[in-house]
Coordinates of all heavy atoms in Angstrom, one line a residue:
M877 N 15.3 93.7 44.7 CA 16.6 94.1 44.4 C 17.6 93.5 45.5 O 17.4 93.7 46.7 CB 16.7 95.6 44.3 CG 18.1 96.1 44.0 SD 18.1 97.8 43.6 CE 18.6 98.5 45.1
K878 N 18.6 92.9 45.0 CA 19.5 92.3 46.0 C 20.6 93.4 46.4 O 21.0 94.2 45.6 CB 20.3 91.1 45.3 CG 19.4 89.9 45.2 CD 20.2 88.7 44.8 CE 19.2 87.5 44.7 NZ 19.9 86.3 44.6
N879 N 21.0 93.3 47.6 CA 22.0 94.2 48.2 C 23.3 93.4 48.2 O 23.4 92.4 48.9 CB 21.6 94.6 49.6 CG 22.6 95.5 50.2 OD1 23.6 95.1 50.6 ND2 22.2 96.8 50.4
K880 N 24.4 94.0 47.5 CA 25.6 93.2 47.5 C 26.3 93.1 48.8 O 27.0 92.1 49.0 CB 26.6 94.0 46.5 CG 27.0 95.3 46.9 CD 28.0 96.0 45.9 CE 28.5 97.3 46.4 NZ 29.4 97.9 45.5
H881 N 26.1 94.0 49.7 CA 26.7 93.9 51.1 C 26.0 92.7 51.8 O 26.7 92.0 52.5 CB 26.5 95.2 51.8 CG 26.9 96.4 51.1 ND1 28.2 96.6 50.7 CD2 26.2 97.4 50.5 CE1 28.3 97.7 50.0 NE2 27.1 98.2 49.9
I882 N 24.7 92.6 51.8 CA 24.0 91.6 52.4 C 24.4 90.2 51.8 O 24.6 89.2 52.5 CB 22.5 91.8 52.4 CG1 22.1 92.9 53.3 CG2 21.7 90.5 52.7 CD1 22.3 92.7 54.7
E883 N 24.4 90.2 50.5 CA 24.8 88.9 49.8 C 26.2 88.4 50.2 O 26.3 87.2 50.4 CB 24.7 89.1 48.3 CG 23.3 89.4 47.8 CD 22.3 88.3 48.1 OE1 22.6 87.1 48.0 OE2 21.2 88.6 48.6
L884 N 27.1 89.3 50.4 CA 28.5 88.9 50.8 C 28.4 88.3 52.2 O 29.1 87.3 52.5 CB 29.5 90.0 50.6 CG 30.9 89.6 50.9 CD1 31.4 88.8 49.7 CD2 31.8 90.8 51.1
V885 N 27.6 89.0 53.1 CA 27.5 88.5 54.5 C 26.8 87.2 54.5 O 27.3 86.3 55.2 CB 26.7 89.6 55.3 CG1 26.5 88.9 56.7 CG2 27.5 90.8 55.5
K886 N 25.8 87.0 53.7 CA 25.1 85.7 53.6 C 26.1 84.6 53.1 O 26.1 83.5 53.7 CB 23.9 85.8 52.7 CG 22.8 86.6 53.4 CD 21.7 86.9 52.4 CE 20.8 85.8 52.0 NZ 19.6 86.3 51.2
K887 N 26.9 84.9 52.2 CA 27.9 84.0 51.7 C 28.9 83.6 52.8 O 29.2 82.4 53.0 CB 28.6 84.6 50.5 CG 29.7 83.7 49.9 CD 30.4 84.4 48.7 CE 31.5 83.5 48.2 NZ 32.3 84.2 47.1
W888 N 29.3 84.6 53.5 CA 30.3 84.4 54.6 C 29.6 83.6 55.7 O 30.2 82.7 56.3 CB 30.8 85.7 55.2 CG 31.6 85.5 56.4 CD1 33.0 85.2 56.4 CD2 31.3 85.7 57.8 NE1 33.5 85.1 57.7 CE2 32.4 85.4 58.5 CE3 30.1 86.0 58.4 CZ2 32.4 85.4 59.9 CZ3 30.1 86.0 59.7 CH2 31.2 85.8 60.5
L889 N 28.3 83.8 56.1 CA 27.6 83.1 57.1 C 27.5 81.6 56.7 O 27.6 80.8 57.6 CB 26.2 83.7 57.4 CG 26.2 85.0 58.1 CD1 24.9 85.6 58.1 CD2 26.6 84.8 59.6
A890 N 27.2 81.4 55.4 CA 27.1 80.0 55.0 C 28.5 79.2 55.0 O 28.5 78.0 55.3 CB 26.6 80.0 53.5
D891 N 29.6 80.0 54.7 CA 30.9 79.3 54.8 C 31.9 80.4 55.2 O 32.3 81.2 54.4 CB 31.2 78.7 53.4 CG 32.6 78.1 53.4 OD1 33.4 78.1 54.4 OD2 33.0 77.7 52.3
N892 N 32.4 80.4 56.4 CA 33.3 81.4 56.9 C 34.6 81.5 56.1 O 35.3 82.5 56.2 CB 33.6 81.2 58.4 CG 32.4 81.4 59.2 OD1 32.3 80.9 60.3 ND2 31.4 82.2 58.8
H893 N 34.9 80.5 55.4 CA 36.2 80.5 54.6 C 36.0 81.0 53.1 O 36.9 81.1 52.4 CB 36.8 79.1 54.6 CG 37.1 78.6 56.0 ND1 38.1 79.2 56.8 CD2 36.6 77.7 56.8 CE1 38.1 78.6 58.0 NE2 37.2 77.7 58.0
S894 N 34.7 81.3 52.8 CA 34.4 81.6 51.4 C 34.7 83.1 51.1 O 34.8 83.5 50.0 CB 33.0 81.4 51.1 OG 32.1 82.2 51.9
V895 N 34.9 83.9 52.2 CA 35.2 85.3 52.1 C 36.3 85.7 53.0 O 36.3 85.3 54.2 CB 33.9 86.1 52.4 CG1 34.2 87.6 52.3 CG2 32.7 85.8 51.6
S896 N 37.3 86.4 52.4 CA 38.5 86.7 53.3 C 38.1 87.9 54.2 O 37.2 88.7 54.0 CB 39.6 87.2 52.4 OG 39.4 88.4 51.8
P897 N 38.9 88.0 55.3 CA 38.7 89.1 56.2 C 38.9 90.5 55.5 O 38.2 91.4 55.9 CB 39.7 88.9 57.3 CG 40.0 87.4 57.3 CD 39.8 87.0 55.9
E898 N 39.7 90.5 54.5 CA 40.0 91.7 53.8 C 38.7 92.1 53.0 O 38.4 93.3 52.9 CB 41.2 91.6 52.9 CG 42.5 91.5 53.6 CD 42.8 90.1 54.2 OE1 42.2 89.1 53.8 OE2 43.7 90.0 55.1
E899 N 38.1 91.1 52.4 CA 36.9 91.3 51.6 C 35.8 91.9 52.6 O 35.0 92.8 52.3 CB 36.4 90.1 51.0 CG 37.2 89.7 49.7 CD 36.7 88.4 49.2 OE1 36.9 87.3 49.8 OE2 36.1 88.4 48.1
L900 N 35.7 91.3 53.8 CA 34.7 91.7 54.8 C 35.0 93.1 55.3 O 34.0 93.9 55.5 CB 34.7 90.7 56.0 CG 34.2 89.4 55.7 CD1 34.4 88.4 56.9 CD2 32.7 89.4 55.3
K901 N 36.2 93.5 55.4 CA 36.6 94.8 55.8 C 36.1 95.8 54.7 O 35.5 96.8 55.0 CB 38.1 95.0 56.1 CG 38.5 96.4 56.5 CD 40.0 96.4 56.8 CE 40.3 97.8 57.3 NZ 41.8 97.9 57.6
A902 N 36.5 95.5 53.5 CA 36.1 96.4 52.3 C 34.6 96.5 52.2 O 34.0 97.5 52.0 CB 36.7 95.9 51.1
N903 N 33.9 95.4 52.5 CA 32.5 95.3 52.4 C 31.8 96.2 53.5 O 30.9 97.0 53.3 CB 31.9 93.9 52.5 CG 30.5 93.8 52.3 OD1 29.9 94.3 51.3 ND2 29.8 93.1 53.1
S904 N 32.4 96.2 54.7 CA 31.9 97.0 55.8 C 32.1 98.5 55.5 O 31.2 99.3 55.7 CB 32.7 96.6 57.1 OG 32.3 97.4 58.1
N905 N 33.3 98.8 55.0 CA 33.6 100.2 54.6 C 32.6 100.7 53.6 O 32.1 101.8 53.6 CB 35.0 100.4 54.2 CG 36.0 100.2 55.4 OD1 35.6 100.4 56.6 ND2 37.2 99.9 55.1
D906 N 32.4 99.9 52.5 CA 31.5 100.3 51.5 C 30.1 100.4 51.9 O 29.4 101.3 51.5 CB 31.7 99.2 50.3 CG 31.0 99.7 49.0 OD1 31.0 100.9 48.8 OD2 30.5 98.8 48.3
A907 N 29.7 99.5 52.8 CA 28.3 99.5 53.3 C 28.1 100.7 54.2 O 27.0 101.3 54.2 CB 28.0 98.2 54.1
D908 N 29.1 101.1 54.9 CA 29.0 102.3 55.8 C 28.8 103.5 54.9 O 27.9 104.4 55.1 CB 30.3 102.5 56.6 CG 30.2 103.6 57.5 OD1 29.1 104.0 58.0 OD2 31.3 104.2 57.9
N909 N 29.6 103.6 53.8 CA 29.3 104.7 52.8 C 28.0 104.7 52.2 O 27.3 105.7 52.0 CB 30.4 104.7 51.7 CG 31.8 105.0 52.2 OD1 31.9 105.7 53.2 ND2 32.8 104.5 51.6
Y910 N 27.5 103.5 51.9 CA 26.1 103.3 51.3 C 25.1 103.8 52.3 O 24.2 104.5 51.9 CB 26.0 101.8 50.9 CG 24.6 101.4 50.7 CD1 23.9 101.7 49.5 CD2 24.0 100.5 51.6 CE1 22.6 101.3 49.3 CE2 22.7 100.0 51.3 CZ 22.0 100.4 50.2 OH 20.8 99.9 50.0
A911 N 25.2 103.4 53.5 CA 24.2 103.7 54.6 C 24.3 105.3 54.8 O 23.2 105.9 55.0 CB 24.5 103.0 55.9
Y912 N 25.4 105.8 54.8 CA 25.6 107.3 55.0 C 24.8 108.1 53.9 O 24.1 109.0 54.1 CB 27.0 107.7 55.1 CG 27.2 109.2 55.3 CD1 27.1 109.7 56.6 CD2 27.5 110.0 54.2 CE1 27.2 111.1 56.8 CE2 27.7 111.3 54.5 CZ 27.5 111.9 55.7 OH 27.7 113.3 55.9
A913 N 25.1 107.6 52.7 CA 24.5 108.2 51.5 C 22.9 108.1 51.5 O 22.2 109.0 51.2 CB 25.0 107.7 50.2
A914 N 22.5 106.9 51.9 CA 21.1 106.6 52.0 C 20.4 107.5 53.0 O 19.3 108.0 52.8 CB 20.8 105.1 52.3
R915 N 21.0 107.7 54.1 CA 20.5 108.6 55.1 C 20.4 110.0 54.7 O 19.5 110.8 54.9 CB 21.3 108.5 56.5 CG 21.0 107.3 57.2 CD 21.6 107.3 58.7 NE 23.1 107.6 58.6 CZ 24.0 106.7 58.6 NH1 23.7 105.4 58.5 NH2 25.3 107.1 58.6
A916 N 21.4 110.4 53.9 CA 21.5 111.8 53.4 C 20.4 112.1 52.4 O 19.9 113.2 52.4 CB 22.9 112.1 52.8
V917 N 20.1 111.1 51.5 CA 19.1 111.5 50.5 C 17.8 111.0 50.7 O 16.8 111.3 50.0 CB 19.6 110.9 49.1 CG1 20.9 111.5 48.7 CG2 19.7 109.4 49.2
S918 N 17.6 110.2 51.8 CA 16.2 109.6 52.0 C 15.6 110.1 53.4 O 15.1 109.3 54.1 CB 16.3 108.1 51.9 OG 17.1 107.6 52.9
D919 N 15.7 111.3 53.6 CA 15.1 111.8 54.9 C 13.6 111.6 54.9 O 13.0 111.4 56.0 CB 15.3 113.4 55.0 CG 16.8 113.7 55.4 OD1 17.5 112.8 55.9 OD2 17.2 114.8 55.1
D920 N 13.0 111.5 53.7 CA 11.5 111.3 53.7 C 11.2 109.8 53.5 O 10.1 109.4 53.6 CB 11.0 112.0 52.5 CG 11.1 113.5 52.5 OD1 11.0 114.0 53.7 OD2 11.2 114.2 51.5
D921 N 12.2 109.0 53.4 CA 12.0 107.6 53.2 C 12.8 106.8 54.2 O 13.9 106.3 54.0 CB 12.3 107.1 51.8 CG 11.8 105.7 51.5 OD1 11.4 105.0 52.4 OD2 11.9 105.3 50.3
K922 N 12.2 106.7 55.4 CA 12.9 106.0 56.6 C 13.2 104.6 56.3 O 14.2 104.1 56.7 CB 12.0 106.2 57.8 CG 12.7 105.7 59.1 CD 11.8 106.1 60.3 CE 12.3 105.5 61.6 NZ 13.5 104.7 61.7
A923 N 12.3 103.9 55.5 CA 12.5 102.5 55.2 C 13.8 102.3 54.5 O 14.6 101.4 54.8 CB 11.4 101.9 54.4
D924 N 14.1 103.2 53.5 CA 15.4 103.0 52.7 C 16.6 103.3 53.7 O 17.6 102.5 53.6 CB 15.4 104.0 51.6 CG 14.6 103.6 50.4 OD1 14.2 102.4 50.4 OD2 14.5 104.4 49.5
A925 N 16.5 104.3 54.5 CA 17.6 104.5 55.4 C 17.8 103.4 56.4 O 18.9 103.0 56.7 CB 17.4 105.9 56.2
D926 N 16.6 102.8 56.9 CA 16.8 101.7 57.9 C 17.4 100.5 57.3 O 18.2 99.8 57.8 CB 15.4 101.4 58.4 CG 14.9 102.5 59.4 OD1 15.7 103.3 59.8 OD2 13.7 102.4 59.8
S927 N 17.0 100.2 56.0 CA 17.5 99.0 55.4 C 19.0 99.2 55.0 O 19.8 98.2 55.1 CB 16.7 98.6 54.1 OG 16.8 99.6 53.1
A928 N 19.3 100.4 54.7 CA 20.8 100.6 54.4 C 21.6 100.5 55.7 O 22.7 100.0 55.6 CB 20.9 102.1 53.8
Y929 N 21.0 101.0 56.8 CA 21.8 100.8 58.0 C 21.8 99.3 58.4 O 22.9 98.9 58.9 CB 21.1 101.6 59.2 CG 21.8 101.4 60.5 CD1 23.0 102.0 60.7 CD2 21.4 100.4 61.4 CE1 23.8 101.8 61.9 CE2 22.2 100.1 62.6 CZ 23.3 100.8 62.8 OH 24.1 100.6 63.9
A930 N 20.8 98.6 58.2 CA 20.8 97.1 58.5 C 21.9 96.4 57.6 O 22.6 95.5 58.2 CB 19.4 96.5 58.3
A931 N 22.0 96.8 56.4 CA 23.1 96.2 55.6 C 24.4 96.5 56.1 O 25.3 95.7 56.2 CB 22.9 96.7 54.1
Y932 N 24.6 97.8 56.5 CA 25.9 98.2 57.1 C 26.2 97.4 58.4 O 27.3 96.9 58.6 CB 26.0 99.7 57.4 CG 27.0 100.1 58.4 CD1 28.4 99.9 58.0 CD2 26.8 100.4 59.7 CE1 29.4 100.1 59.0 CE2 27.8 100.7 60.6 CZ 29.1 100.6 60.2 OH 30.1 100.8 61.2
A933 N 25.2 97.3 59.3 CA 25.4 96.6 60.5 C 25.7 95.2 60.3 O 26.5 94.6 61.0 CB 24.1 96.8 61.4
A934 N 25.0 94.5 59.4 CA 25.4 93.1 59.0 C 26.8 93.0 58.6 O 27.6 92.1 59.0 CB 24.4 92.6 58.0
A935 N 27.2 93.9 57.7 CA 28.6 93.9 57.1 C 29.6 94.1 58.2 O 30.6 93.4 58.3 CB 28.7 94.9 56.0
D936 N 29.3 95.1 59.1 CA 30.2 95.4 60.1 C 30.3 94.3 61.2 O 31.4 93.9 61.6 CB 29.8 96.7 60.8 CG 30.9 97.3 61.7 OD1 32.0 97.4 61.2 OD2 30.6 97.6 62.9
S937 N 29.2 93.6 61.5 CA 29.2 92.5 62.4 C 30.0 91.3 61.8 O 30.8 90.7 62.6 CB 27.8 92.1 62.7 OG 27.1 93.0 63.4
A938 N 29.9 91.1 60.5 CA 30.6 90.0 59.9 C 32.1 90.3 60.0 O 32.9 89.4 60.3 CB 30.2 89.7 58.5
Y939 N 32.5 91.5 59.7 CA 33.9 91.9 59.7 C 34.4 91.7 61.2 O 35.5 91.2 61.4 CB 34.0 93.3 59.3 CG 35.3 94.0 59.5 CD1 36.5 93.5 59.0 CD2 35.5 95.1 60.4 CE1 37.7 94.1 59.2 CE2 36.7 95.7 60.6 CZ 37.8 95.2 60.1 OH 39.0 95.7 60.3
D940 N 33.7 92.2 62.2 CA 34.1 92.0 63.5 C 34.2 90.5 63.9 O 35.2 90.2 64.6 CB 33.0 92.6 64.5 CG 33.0 94.1 64.5 OD1 34.0 94.7 63.9 OD2 32.1 94.7 65.0
A941 N 33.3 89.7 63.5 CA 33.4 88.3 63.7 C 34.6 87.6 63.1 O 35.2 86.8 63.7 CB 32.1 87.6 63.3
A942 N 34.9 88.0 61.9 CA 36.1 87.4 61.2 C 37.4 87.7 61.9 O 38.3 86.9 62.0 CB 36.1 87.9 59.8
Y943 N 37.5 88.9 62.5 CA 38.7 89.3 63.2 C 38.7 88.8 64.7 O 39.8 88.6 65.2 CB 38.9 90.7 63.1 CG 39.6 91.1 61.8 CD1 38.9 91.5 60.7 CD2 41.0 91.0 61.6 CE1 39.4 91.8 59.5 CE2 41.6 91.2 60.4 CZ 40.8 91.7 59.3 OH 41.4 92.0 58.1
S944 N 37.6 88.7 65.3 CA 37.6 88.3 66.7 C 37.1 86.9 66.9 O 37.3 86.4 68.1 CB 36.6 89.3 67.5 OG 35.3 89.0 67.1
Y945 N 36.6 86.3 65.9 CA 36.1 84.9 66.0 C 35.0 84.9 67.1 O 34.9 83.9 67.8 CB 37.2 83.8 66.3 CG 38.3 83.9 65.2 CD1 39.5 84.5 65.5 CD2 38.0 83.3 64.0 CE1 40.4 84.5 64.4 CE2 39.0 83.4 63.0 CZ 40.1 83.9 63.2 OH 41.1 84.0 62.2
S946 N 34.3 85.9 67.2 CA 33.2 86.0 68.3 C 31.9 85.4 67.8 O 31.4 85.8 66.8 CB 33.0 87.5 68.6 OG 31.8 87.6 69.4
P947 N 31.4 84.5 68.5 CA 30.1 83.9 68.2 C 29.0 85.0 68.3 O 28.0 84.9 67.6 CB 29.9 82.7 69.1 CG 30.9 83.0 70.3 CD 32.0 83.8 69.7
Y948 N 29.2 85.9 69.2 CA 28.2 87.0 69.4 C 28.2 87.8 68.1 O 27.1 88.2 67.6 CB 28.6 87.8 70.6 CG 28.5 87.0 71.8 CD1 29.7 86.7 72.5 CD2 27.4 86.4 72.3 CE1 29.7 86.0 73.7 CE2 27.4 85.7 73.4 CZ 28.5 85.4 74.1 OH 28.6 84.6 75.2
A949 N 29.3 88.2 67.5 CA 29.3 89.0 66.3 C 28.7 88.2 65.1 O 28.0 88.8 64.3 CB 30.7 89.5 66.0
T950 N 29.0 87.0 65.1 CA 28.4 86.1 64.0 C 26.9 86.1 64.2 O 26.1 86.3 63.2 CB 29.0 84.7 64.1 OG1 30.4 84.7 63.9 CG2 28.4 83.8 63.0
R951 N 26.4 85.9 65.4 CA 25.0 85.9 65.6 C 24.4 87.3 65.3 O 23.3 87.4 64.6 CB 24.7 85.7 67.1 CG 23.2 85.7 67.5 CD 22.9 85.9 68.9 NE 23.4 87.2 69.3 CZ 23.9 87.6 70.4 NH1 24.1 86.7 71.3 NH2 24.3 88.9 70.7
D952 N 25.1 88.4 65.6 CA 24.6 89.7 65.3 C 24.5 89.9 63.8 O 23.5 90.5 63.3 CB 25.5 90.8 65.8 CG 25.4 90.9 67.4 OD1 24.5 90.3 68.0 OD2 26.3 91.6 67.9
A953 N 25.5 89.4 63.0 CA 25.5 89.5 61.5 C 24.2 88.8 61.0 O 23.6 89.3 60.2 CB 26.7 88.9 60.9
A954 N 24.0 87.6 61.5 CA 22.8 86.9 61.0 C 21.5 87.6 61.4 O 20.5 87.7 60.6 CB 22.8 85.4 61.7
E955 N 21.4 88.2 62.6 CA 20.2 88.9 63.0 C 20.1 90.2 62.1 O 18.9 90.6 61.8 CB 20.3 89.3 64.5 CG 20.1 88.1 65.4 CD 20.2 88.4 66.8 OE1 20.4 89.6 67.2 OE2 20.2 87.5 67.6
W956 N 21.2 90.9 61.8 CA 21.0 92.1 60.9 C 20.6 91.7 59.5 O 19.8 92.4 58.8 CB 22.3 92.9 60.9 CG 22.4 93.7 62.1 CD1 23.3 93.6 63.1 CD2 21.6 94.9 62.4 NE1 23.1 94.6 64.1 CE2 22.0 95.4 63.6 CE3 20.6 95.5 61.8 CZ2 21.5 96.5 64.2 CZ3 20.0 96.6 62.4 CH2 20.4 97.1 63.6
V957 N 21.1 90.5 59.0 CA 20.6 90.1 57.7 C 19.1 89.8 57.7 O 18.4 90.3 56.9 CB 21.4 88.8 57.3 CG1 20.7 88.1 56.0 CG2 22.8 89.1 56.9
K958 N 18.7 89.2 58.8 CA 17.2 88.9 59.0 C 16.4 90.2 59.0 O 15.4 90.4 58.4 CB 17.0 88.1 60.2 CG 15.5 87.8 60.5 CD 15.4 86.9 61.7 CE 13.9 86.7 61.9 NZ 13.7 86.0 63.2
R959 N 17.0 91.2 59.8 CA 16.3 92.5 59.9 C 16.3 93.2 58.5 O 15.2 93.8 58.1 CB 17.0 93.4 60.9 CG 16.4 94.7 61.1 CD 15.1 94.7 61.7 NE 14.5 96.0 61.9 CZ 13.3 96.3 61.6 NH1 12.4 95.4 61.3 NH2 12.9 97.6 61.8
Y960 N 17.3 93.1 57.8 CA 17.4 93.7 56.4 C 16.3 93.1 55.6 O 15.6 93.8 54.9 CB 18.8 93.5 55.8 CG 18.8 94.0 54.3 CD1 19.0 95.3 54.0 CD2 18.5 93.1 53.3 CE1 18.9 95.7 52.7 CE2 18.5 93.5 52.0 CZ 18.7 94.8 51.7 OH 18.6 95.2 50.4
E961 N 16.2 91.8 55.6 CA 15.2 91.1 54.8 C 13.8 91.5 55.2 O 12.9 91.6 54.3 CB 15.5 89.6 54.8 CG 16.7 89.2 54.1 CD 17.2 87.8 54.2 OE1 16.6 87.1 55.1 OE2 18.0 87.4 53.3
E962 N 13.5 91.6 56.5 CA 12.2 92.0 56.9 C 11.9 93.5 56.4 O 10.7 93.7 56.0 CB 12.2 92.1 58.4 CG 12.2 90.7 59.1 CD 12.4 90.7 60.6 OE1 12.7 91.8 61.2 OE2 12.3 89.7 61.2
L963 N 12.9 94.3 56.4 CA 12.7 95.7 56.0 C 12.4 95.8 54.5 O 11.8 96.8 54.0 CB 13.8 96.6 56.4 CG 13.9 96.9 57.9 CD1 15.4 97.5 58.2 CD2 12.9 97.8 58.3
T964 N 13.0 94.9 53.7 CA 12.9 95.1 52.3 C 11.8 94.2 51.6 O 11.8 94.1 50.4 CB 14.3 94.8 51.6 OG1 14.7 93.5 52.0 CG2 15.3 95.8 52.1
Q965 N 11.0 93.5 52.4 CA 9.9 92.7 51.8 C 8.7 93.5 51.6 O 8.4 94.5 52.1 CB 9.6 91.5 52.8 CG 10.7 90.5 52.8 CD 10.3 89.3 53.7 OE1 9.3 89.3 54.4 NE2 11.1 88.3 53.7

């Protein structure tokens, strides 16, 4: 199952001009809500909560990178995408 938050970050990582900063901000906010809900309902399923957090962290890092032009935040976004993919395989 594809995660829309991760997919948007991957699209942005491939082409930083393909996603607006506003879209990244909305994605980060939505991913935060998603991660919060996953933690609330999946106390018994740590993997779901961890992957939801990884999706949020990737989205938040991409948003940070878009506004700060930080290569560190861009690297973090890529690392969180990789972590998400490891958790969901």
Side-chain angles (χ1 to χ4, degrees):
M877 179 169 98
K878 290 189 177 192
N879 179 292
K880 67 180 182 178
H881 310 295
I882 290 293
E883 293 304 312
L884 189 73
V885 173
K886 288 167 73 173
K887 179 180 176 183
W888 176 81
L889 285 168
D891 177 4
N892 294 154
H893 301 292
S894 65
V895 181
S896 73
E898 293 78 17
E899 288 175 289
L900 291 171
K901 180 178 181 179
N903 189 47
S904 177
N905 291 337
D906 192 32
D908 185 27
N909 291 333
Y910 165 72
Y912 181 79
R915 283 190 306 271
V917 297
S918 61
D919 288 336
D920 296 329
D921 193 350
K922 186 172 174 1
D924 281 350
D926 288 350
S927 65
Y929 179 79
Y932 162 67
D936 195 51
S937 295
Y939 168 63
D940 288 346
Y943 277 96
S944 67
Y945 302 103
S946 167
Y948 301 110
T950 301
R951 181 202 64 216
D952 289 348
E955 288 177 4
W956 279 112
V957 167
K958 181 179 176 185
R959 180 68 180 138
Y960 172 85
E961 290 174 342
E962 290 169 351
L963 289 167
T964 57
Q965 289 183 353

